[in-house]
Amino acid sequence: MSTTQTLSETAAGAAIISPPGRQRLPLIVWMLGVVTFVMGTTEMIVAGLLPQVASSLEVTIAQAGLLITVFALGMVIGTPVMAIATLRLPRRATLIMALLLFAVAHVAAASTDVFAVVLVARFAAAVATGTFWAIGAVVAAAAAGPGAGAKAMGIMVGGVTLATVLGVPIGTAAGQFLGWQGPFWGLAFLATACAALLWKVLPGNKTSEGETNLRAEFSRLRNARLWSVYVATALIQAAFLGVYSYIAPQLTERAELAEAVVPLIMIAYGVGALTGTTIGGRFGDRRPYTVIGAAVAGLLITMTVLLLWGGNAPVAIVFFTLMGMFGFAANPTLVSEALRAAGPDGVLPIALSNSFFNIGVAVGSGLGGVAIASSLAEQGVPAVGLALTIAAAVPCIGLGLTAKKTQRPRRHTMT
């Protein structure tokens, strides 16, 4: 998800454009939500299995963490590139190809003990995920109709959120019991089944409507405020998802908890993430920078506590849960602000918003890997998280100070 923590979160932003409709959503929207659950699970599944992956592939934990970094990089590249490249292709064929590539990549990863092959497979799976998001969001909104676009996106958000709360912890538990390859086989099977179902439900000749105006898309990127939102987005994700990427060794090595407890704490983190997303979505439109400010302040406290006292098991459990809440609280509001800056019809700016979420994941997990390989070991990971949170405060403060000047005209023209 995931972010996850990605294009899926445009639901919160879309709500400022049009209120959710009351009509019943078509089946295809719910099916796309199921796919986002599968794809949302895969991005962070490695986080709970780093010791097993490292042992099996005969690499260090820091090297195993590259499997998270390279997935994020694949999303960074895949989402905007495929959003543009597939605009004129039949949507059903594009979604099916993305799911099949996703499945093949997971089979390839589960079938080898060569670390380089697994890295390439993770990158391919990420490109497939980015492709699906770029087209699936359009399909969901179109299927729901103009009065329920935000509601349809909410279903896709639900898939990613459910992946955080249940998919990743359940996959972690399964990986501990079956070996880390077990969840990869399961995700490949689910993706193939979803491809078969979508083939039957989606119309076969539906393509994008109208002309693709790339010049107009790129012109939206000239907005300086939009880039400030992008930078804030990347730094916040890097701060808390970089720490989350190494949750397993922090809990087992530093806090000396049993491996069997790790999935339970990941569930607690997921509940915190769900709580934060709900709070951010509810209050972010009315007081966006109050929400973002509170989230960043909460992350500053959380990272400081984990840095100093993360070796205490009860403290680690409580503050990993709070980290999920504070980190995810900012995300819906950040996407809303990107929509305000770029306008609701910009395909490329919103695809890039998703890319910056994943740039954050790549930077955070990469720096976390450097920290955990250093003399600081596991304690170095929240140290990096704290430094990144402090850096994130800078663009957030700038956005907050200029918010009234940029948003007042918006309020006057909106109905």
Side-chain angles (χ1 to χ4, degrees):
M1 297 198 61
S2 137
T3 283
T4 6
Q5 348 31 52
T6 59
L7 182 59
S8 63
E9 290 164 323
T10 55
I16 68 173
I17 308 301
S18 60
R22 295 184 178 179
Q23 63 264 39
R24 297 177 65 180
L25 293 174
L27 175 63
I28 183 59
V29 175
W30 295 95
M31 291 180 63
L32 291 171
V34 172
V35 177
T36 63
F37 169 80
V38 174
M39 291 186 161
T41 297
T42 199
E43 181 166 11
M44 298 307 294
I45 188 68
V46 175
L49 298 171
L50 281 181
Q52 291 88 340
V53 172
S55 175
S56 174
L57 298 178
E58 298 182 350
V59 296
T60 66
I61 287 180
Q63 289 173 318
L66 290 174
L67 295 175
I68 300 171
T69 304
V70 78
F71 191 98
L73 289 174
M75 287 285 288
V76 168
I77 297 169
T79 304
V81 170
M82 299 309 294
I84 299 301
T86 62
L87 277 176
R88 294 178 180 271
L89 297 180
R91 292 172 180 170
R92 182 176 73 168
T94 303
L95 292 176
I96 298 305
M97 286 189 295
L99 277 165
L100 293 179
L101 174 60
F102 181 92
V104 169
H106 281 73
V107 169
S111 302
T112 184
D113 57 2
V114 179
F115 182 64
V117 174
V118 181
L119 277 176
V120 172
R122 287 283 287 174
F123 185 86
V127 172
T129 301
T131 304
F132 190 93
W133 271 114
I135 305 304
V138 176
V139 171
K151 188 176 180 181
M153 288 301 296
I155 299 302
M156 297 187 75
V157 169
V160 175
T161 304
L162 192 61
T164 303
V165 177
L166 291 178
V168 174
I170 290 174
T172 299
Q176 290 176 349
F177 181 72
L178 301 172
W180 69 268
Q181 298 93 338
F184 279 65
W185 286 109
L187 289 166
F189 172 79
L190 290 173
T192 304
C194 288
L197 290 173
L198 287 179
W199 183 264
K200 292 184 177 181
V201 173
L202 279 172
N205 59 351
K206 185 67 174 177
T207 58
S208 297
E209 298 177 1
E211 294 294 323
T212 302
N213 192 338
L214 294 182
R215 180 176 296 179
E217 290 294 321
F218 280 102
S219 69
R220 296 175 186 270
L221 301 180
R222 297 173 185 170
N223 188 318
R225 186 173 183 82
L226 176 64
W227 287 94
S228 294
V229 174
Y230 285 161
V231 171
T233 297
L235 288 172
I236 290 174
Q237 307 318 299
F240 80 96
L241 288 175
V243 175
Y244 180 73
S245 296
Y246 296 91
I247 186 173
Q250 290 179 84
L251 293 174
T252 57
E253 299 298 326
R254 189 179 178 205
E256 298 182 348
L257 289 164
E259 284 188 355
V261 178
V262 174
L264 299 177
I265 299 173
M266 295 178 81
I267 290 174
Y269 169 90
V271 172
L274 178 61
T275 303
T277 301
T278 302
I279 293 171
R282 178 168 296 180
F283 299 105
D285 287 332
R286 286 178 287 171
R287 297 182 176 274
Y289 292 99
T290 299
V291 171
I292 293 175
V296 172
L299 285 175
L300 282 170
I301 296 170
T302 299
M303 298 303 174
T304 301
V305 171
L306 288 175
L307 171 62
L308 298 177
W309 301 290
N312 180 284
V315 169
I317 292 170
V318 170
F319 279 88
F320 269 111
T321 302
L322 291 176
M323 186 179 73
M325 184 180 74
F326 289 126
F328 277 84
N331 288 354
T333 307
L334 289 167
V335 180
S336 295
E337 292 305 294
L339 279 166
R340 283 193 176 99
D345 300 323
V347 174
L348 183 58
I350 298 307
L352 281 174
S353 179
N354 177 66
S355 291
F356 274 88
F357 274 96
N358 286 280
I359 286 172
V361 178
V363 170
S365 60
L367 292 178
V370 172
I372 206 169
S374 72
S375 59
L376 291 174
E378 289 79 15
Q379 190 175 14
V381 180
V384 169
L386 178 59
L388 289 168
T389 305
I390 293 171
V394 176
C396 290
I397 291 171
L399 286 166
L401 290 175
T402 59
K404 291 183 179 180
K405 185 184 298 184
T406 58
Q407 290 179 3
R408 187 174 291 121
R410 292 274 184 182
R411 290 195 189 103
H412 181 72
T413 58
M414 288 175 65
T415 58

